[in-house]
Amino acid sequence: MTPTRRAQALGFAAAVMAFGALAPAQAQNRELTVASSATYAPFAFENKDKQIVGFDIDIINAIARQQGLKIKIVNTPFTGIFGALNNGDVDLVISGVTINEKRKQSYDFTPPYFAARQLIALPKNSTVASLKDLTGKKIAVVSASTADDIASREFGKTSPNIRRFESTPLIISELAGGGVDAAMGDNGVIAYRVSQNPDLKTVDDKSFPEEGFGIVVKKGDKALLDKLSAGLAAIRADGSYVTIYKKWFNKDPNVR
């Protein structure tokens, strides 16, 4: 190799090494796209100015600030939220997603940031006292949700009595309009929606398991998962988590 070619080769190698050294830093500084379904008050919803706000939004913003992450929140229907993550359209999901064994086979989760249970919404005059009392009755659930899984196990996935909708407001609207006998979903959002309708009530079936909401990333995305988990631990430690929780639920947190 001539001296000139050797110099060119060394220069090229140095450029490659320099690019390699910069790439991780650039990757760390890139904007992360966060999917959240903004039909899930008080966790995520649009305010009068069409901004996405809520408990989940405050939590992910606090974590991002703590970890120095740049994020963009995108309103994504819950029925398409995992597809968006699978396709790489978003980098993470925070949308009241229950951590369960089935989902853990396909995705990775942070530790829980909210303790949840399923809750049944009913007309005020209903005599239903448990899930089993809904046998033969029409039940509204959000498609692909934990409530959908529970209803499918109890009554059969193809049962014509299970009515699937895209969002919690739709299942509550269907119940309030008399289209179904009950609606079922996560306690925080069901309790919030029912509190706004004096003709409805809730029933807590003690057989429902304790659950937790987690932030979701693609399976194997350890670097991002570690940052999110560390950020969550930090906002719990510095009191930010308690402040956010009290802002939205007016009581002390149910998980720390």
Side-chain angles (χ1 to χ4, degrees):
M1 181 181 290
T2 66
T4 300
R5 288 190 174 179
R6 183 179 292 108
Q8 289 174 338
L10 289 172
F12 178 76
V16 169
M17 290 176 66
F19 178 80
L22 289 172
Q26 290 170 343
Q28 287 176 3
N29 291 330
R30 75 177 180 86
E31 186 177 64
L32 300 171
T33 303
V34 180
S36 194
S37 177
T39 57
Y40 201 60
F43 294 89
F45 61 100
E46 286 189 342
N47 64 14
K48 60 182 177 61
D49 298 319
K50 298 299 180 181
Q51 298 168 321
I52 304 175
V53 297
F55 176 73
D56 281 0
I57 307 307
D58 283 356
I59 289 292
I60 196 60
N61 278 325
I63 289 172
R65 284 193 298 271
Q66 205 284 330
Q67 288 291 301
L69 302 174
K70 298 177 183 177
I71 63 171
K72 176 180 68 175
I73 297 166
V74 177
N75 185 3
T76 310
F78 193 85
T79 50
I81 217 160
F82 294 107
L85 184 60
N86 292 339
N87 295 337
D89 297 327
V90 303
D91 298 288
L92 63 136
V93 172
I94 183 166
S95 194
V97 179
T98 303
I99 303 167
N100 60 37
E101 292 305 315
K102 180 181 177 182
R103 286 175 176 158
K104 283 165 67 175
Q105 292 174 14
S106 303
Y107 308 97
D108 286 335
F109 290 82
T110 63
Y113 67 88
F114 185 85
R117 288 171 59 88
Q118 293 301 291
L119 198 62
I120 301 169
L122 300 159
K124 266 281 172 58
N125 62 357
S126 175
T127 59
V128 168
S130 69
L131 177 65
K132 292 192 180 300
D133 291 342
L134 292 175
T135 302
K137 298 184 183 297
K138 295 186 288 294
I139 311 163
V141 298
V142 174
S143 180
S145 67
T146 300
D148 189 356
D149 289 344
I150 289 174
S152 295
R153 286 197 300 269
E154 185 71 24
F155 306 114
K157 190 172 182 63
T158 59
S159 170
N161 286 327
I162 301 175
R163 308 292 173 85
R164 296 174 174 88
F165 296 85
E166 188 176 277
S167 68
T168 303
L170 290 177
I171 69 173
I172 294 297
S173 176
E174 188 73 6
L175 174 63
V180 293
D181 301 298
M184 187 164 66
D186 295 318
N187 56 350
V189 67
I190 291 292
Y192 178 84
R193 293 288 176 182
V194 168
S195 71
Q196 299 178 318
N197 192 320
D199 296 323
L200 302 179
K201 66 178 182 179
T202 60
V203 165
D204 180 10
D205 187 324
K206 300 304 180 185
S207 71
F208 289 148
E210 293 288 343
E211 302 163 337
F213 293 164
I215 305 169
V216 195
V217 300
K218 275 188 173 180
K219 196 74 174 173
D221 193 350
K222 186 175 185 303
L224 180 55
L225 183 67
D226 287 349
K227 280 185 173 291
L228 296 172
S229 298
L232 179 57
I235 67 170
R236 284 179 176 150
D238 69 12
S240 302
Y241 178 88
V242 172
T243 300
I244 294 169
Y245 193 98
K246 286 183 174 180
K247 171 185 173 181
W248 292 104
F249 300 104
N250 296 312
K251 59 182 180 180
D252 287 328
N254 58 6
V255 60
R256 291 179 182 271

